[in-house]
Amino acid sequence: MTPTNGTFSEFLKSFEETLRLVFHEKEDINQLSLERGLPSSVMSEIMSKVPLSVAIPKQHGGRGSLVEECLGILAAASYESLSLSLTFGINIALFLEPISKYANEAVKNDIFDRFLKKQNMGGLMITEPDYGSDALNMKTSFRETGNGYKVQGTKHWQGLTGWADYWLIASRKELDSGELGRDIDFFICDTSQEKQKIVVEELYDNAGLYMIPYGLNTVDIEVPANYKLEPETTGIKMMLDILHRSRMQFPGMGMGFIKRMLDEAIVHCKNRIVGTGNLLSMDQVQFQLSRIQSAYTICSAMCARSSKISGIDHNLAGEGLEANSMKAVVTDLMQESAHILVQLSGANGYKISHVGGRGIMDSRPFQIFEGSNEMLYSQIAEMVTRLMRKQKQLNLLEFLKDFKPTSEASQYFTNEFSFSISNTISQRKLVDLGKILGRIVSLGYVLELQEKGFRKDLVDNCIDTVKLEVATLIGSFHFDNNVQVIEDYTENSSWLKFV
Ligand SMILES: Cc1cc2nc3c(=O)[nH]c(=O)nc-3n(C[C@H](O)[C@H](O)[C@H](O)COP(=O)(O)OP(=O)(O)OC[C@H]3O[C@@H](n4cnc5c(N)ncnc54)[C@H](O)[C@@H]3O)c2cc1C
């Protein structure tokens, strides 16, 4: 079977079978995960199934860039290894989809061909040592040469550092004045070309995701003119479209990971006898497991929603509310699920060779990269409060009832949300509010999934779990707190002086 013929369920089944074979029979993923990287024979066997064909258009020999297929592959991979899933996530959302949508037609065939036939990989370079969250102020620059562009700068923390065959590199135009333009442009870099080598200055000792190399890169390359991505309007809007689509694919990586945490936790709690019964018979354990199960339900609903709205034919530049909600909420749920599994597993969970133990460190940076969650939550709150002010509707419940992304779910919070939003909200309260809104938007997806026939008992449990979490967050939002750090706190604060 070539990657493009056959149904997706056949394709997925064969991919899952390969993962089972390489990670559980030929090799042991728990042992492989102790080392950095992945033996090339293992990677090569996985890539022989051409999993990335899901993100390549049909006319270029791929399976057609359908979101549900991309998420299906990400989920299958993350059930076994979050690192492997992120490796695919980087290739799909940060390279192949942007190429499909924005690259010059003349360069696409060769790139896609190398992904389909030569197991090539690609990543995205945005972050610089001095500009992470503040990416718009990046210093990597480009200027036109006779027949193309010269791109120069320093980037760091790129997933697949030293490994990717291709990069997309973000940079700003060097103006005649010597200053840098405000827009951001992206250039393809083919590291197999003489003038397009990226120099890896240092490899980082990333604390998790051992399979993926990260590091510090010097960019000093010359590329042909048609290696510049072609935005529909501005480069910044193109970047937002790319990043929002990527954020909407996080649920694919979350899906398999959360399901694995749930499956492992249930099996463990069934079998582990403490005192007179198994862990499953304890009320607190039931509470913890129900939280992972609620995460499973939310993540499933996000995948369904993302499949509907995040294809490359949609422009997502203006869809920050949904993209930020999906990314921030699902990554919080991934981290929480790993923590619960480790806690329930007791001491044995605290090992890198334990899927929960490494799950904590593997899922942790998902809350940091592609927009730190605090930043995304405050953006969510800003988007909503801006609309409220524009509509002169300051009562949260009244607004959310009429706002499409929250209208269905807000009916579960009639008492809690009946308050007015003030004109000035501190940043810490914006983050609380964004967390609340992100969860209401996510619950809306769950209700949408229920309408399509998803299990009602899972949905009912999920509603109760989200209600509890939102109640806690509302408590935090209303609590008057403006505590500031005391920087010279060591003066007169050593406990030894007071004994
Ligand atoms: C595992 C991993 C993989 C990555 N992969 C890539 C990649 O493939 N390509 C790439 O280009 N980059 C990648 N990055 C870089 C990543 O996108 C940046 O680390 C991220 O954007 C944060 O930038 P920074 O590290 O400079 O932190 P800073 O910008 O210094 O922010 C530090 C912290 O300050 C707080 N903060 C900052 N701004 C705000 C705000 N507005 N509101 C509230 N709090 C705020 C947050 O807590 C934030 O985490 C990766 C990073 C990691 C850890």
Side-chain angles (χ1 to χ4, degrees):
M1 188 174 72
T2 68
T4 41
N5 62 28
T7 63
F8 181 60
S9 65
E10 287 168 338
F11 180 75
L12 186 62
K13 213 167 132 214
S14 148
F15 177 63
E16 285 171 339
E17 177 53 23
T18 304
L19 292 184
R20 198 190 56 74
L21 209 69
V22 290
F23 285 151
H24 298 284
E25 285 190 18
K26 293 188 179 173
E27 302 277 350
D28 175 359
I29 179 70
N30 291 327
Q31 292 306 309
L32 286 176
S33 299
L34 298 174
E35 306 289 333
R36 291 190 184 269
L38 194 64
S40 57
S41 59
V42 173
M43 198 61 191
S44 177
E45 189 163 351
I46 295 169
M47 295 310 282
S48 70
K49 291 287 159 182
V50 208
L52 298 177
S53 61
V54 290
I56 294 177
K58 267 209 151 66
Q59 66 270 32
H60 293 284
R63 291 192 57 87
S65 237
L66 296 174
V67 179
E68 63 261 39
E69 293 199 358
C70 295
L71 300 191
I73 288 294
L74 293 176
S78 66
Y79 193 82
E80 300 295 346
S81 157
L82 190 56
S83 303
L84 181 69
S85 187
L86 180 58
T87 300
F88 292 156
I90 293 168
N91 276 284
I92 293 173
L94 301 182
F95 188 79
L96 290 170
E97 288 176 342
I99 292 291
S100 299
K101 189 160 178 180
Y102 294 110
N104 185 291
E105 276 307 317
V107 306
K108 286 184 183 176
N109 222 18
D110 184 44
I111 295 176
F112 291 138
D113 225 45
R114 279 171 53 184
F115 273 75
L116 288 170
K117 298 184 183 144
K118 297 192 174 149
Q119 306 195 343
N120 273 200
M121 295 225 182
L124 177 66
M125 295 193 166
I126 293 182
T127 311
E128 301 178 2
D130 291 334
Y131 304 92
S133 305
D134 187 20
L136 294 183
N137 278 315
M138 65 178 64
K139 294 291 174 274
T140 298
S141 64
F142 73 89
R143 63 183 151 80
E144 282 182 47
T145 58
N147 45 6
Y149 298 94
K150 192 164 176 61
V151 187
Q152 290 174 300
T154 304
K155 299 283 186 182
H156 82 158
W157 274 107
Q158 280 65 50
L160 309 179
T161 288
W163 182 5
D165 305 278
Y166 284 106
W167 290 103
L168 272 180
I169 302 174
S171 62
R172 294 163 66 196
K173 185 173 185 171
E174 200 179 300
L175 304 175
D176 292 340
S177 61
E179 295 189 352
L180 299 179
R182 285 166 62 155
D183 206 15
I184 305 282
D185 275 292
F186 288 84
F187 294 87
I188 300 167
C189 166
D190 171 1
T191 62
S192 70
Q193 306 284 328
E194 201 40 54
K195 292 186 172 165
Q196 299 176 44
K197 307 268 180 229
I198 302 287
V199 179
V200 179
E201 305 290 350
E202 181 188 343
L203 278 175
Y204 290 162
D205 58 341
N206 33 299
L209 299 169
Y210 278 13
M211 194 186 287
I212 308 178
Y214 290 94
L216 178 68
N217 295 291
T218 296
V219 178
D220 188 356
I221 58 169
E222 273 182 62
V223 299
N226 58 10
Y227 271 29
K228 180 171 177 289
L229 293 194
E230 297 165 356
E232 287 162 358
T233 52
T234 64
I236 289 183
K237 287 210 170 113
M238 172 171 72
M239 178 159 93
L240 282 176
D241 179 46
I242 292 170
L243 289 181
H244 288 168
R245 181 165 300 97
S246 174
R247 285 175 197 163
M248 287 193 189
Q249 300 204 6
F250 274 59
M253 296 183 276
M255 193 68 252
F257 181 76
I258 290 170
K259 183 172 191 302
R260 180 68 181 274
M261 299 297 115
L262 180 60
D263 289 348
E264 295 282 338
I266 292 176
V267 168
H268 174 75
C269 293
K270 261 190 198 158
N271 295 330
R272 177 68 176 171
I273 308 291
V274 175
T276 54
N278 64 6
L279 286 178
L280 207 59
S281 63
M282 292 185 189
D283 180 55
Q284 166 64 12
V285 171
Q286 285 287 330
F287 173 65
Q288 306 262 65
L289 291 175
S290 72
R291 293 190 68 84
I292 313 185
Q293 197 158 55
S294 164
Y296 169 83
T297 305
I298 293 171
C299 191
S300 305
M302 285 180 178
C303 285
R305 173 73 181 166
S306 175
S307 299
K308 194 166 136 190
I309 62 169
S310 75
I312 51 174
D313 39 343
H314 298 260
N315 190 320
L316 303 176
E319 302 302 329
L321 179 74
E322 292 201 52
N324 289 4
S325 296
M326 282 194 203
K327 189 272 181 182
V329 173
V330 83
T331 56
D332 281 358
L333 293 175
M334 288 161 74
Q335 175 72 180
E336 187 191 4
S337 300
H339 273 286
I340 294 174
L341 172 60
V342 168
Q343 189 71 20
L344 292 175
S345 302
N348 285 336
Y350 189 64
K351 288 178 177 168
I352 298 179
S353 59
H354 187 280
V355 71
R358 66 176 177 274
I360 290 181
M361 285 318 270
D362 286 351
S363 62
R364 186 64 181 84
F366 284 68
Q367 294 172 304
I368 298 172
F369 58 58
E370 279 196 45
S372 82
N373 282 8
E374 306 96 305
M375 190 175 88
L376 300 186
Y377 283 130
S378 41
Q379 284 173 0
I380 292 171
E382 276 160 1
M383 284 182 252
V384 168
T385 50
R386 203 178 306 128
L387 278 174
M388 290 174 76
R389 286 188 198 105
K390 206 168 149 196
Q391 293 178 21
K392 301 200 177 9
Q393 176 53 275
L394 293 183
N395 182 288
L396 188 62
L397 179 65
E398 292 307 315
F399 177 83
L400 295 182
K401 272 195 328 201
D402 292 333
F403 186 48
K404 203 151 178 270
T406 53
S407 59
E408 288 295 317
S410 59
Q411 61 176 311
Y412 293 98
F413 303 90
T414 45
N415 291 332
E416 292 88 339
F417 289 171
S418 227
F419 63 88
S420 287
I421 293 283
S422 73
N423 266 330
T424 49
I425 308 177
S426 66
Q427 195 188 16
R428 69 187 72 183
K429 299 295 174 194
L430 274 179
V431 174
D432 282 341
L433 184 60
K435 284 186 181 171
I436 294 165
L437 293 166
R439 277 148 187 82
I440 304 304
V441 170
S442 305
L443 189 59
Y445 302 149
V446 173
L447 299 174
E448 207 176 310
L449 192 64
Q450 183 185 24
E451 271 173 30
K452 292 181 182 158
F454 191 79
R455 275 182 80 133
K456 189 170 178 326
D457 50 1
L458 284 180
V459 173
D460 288 343
N461 285 352
C462 177
I463 292 169
D464 276 351
T465 305
V466 175
K467 279 175 87 169
L468 172 63
E469 198 177 0
V470 168
T472 315
L473 288 165
I474 290 265
S476 169
F477 179 74
H478 287 307
F479 194 91
D480 197 12
N481 174 339
N482 188 33
V483 176
Q484 304 288 318
V485 68
I486 297 158
E487 288 186 45
D488 62 348
Y489 72 96
T490 50
E491 227 169 89
N492 199 29
S493 72
S494 164
W495 66 272
L496 270 175
K497 277 191 9 199
F498 307 101
V499 290

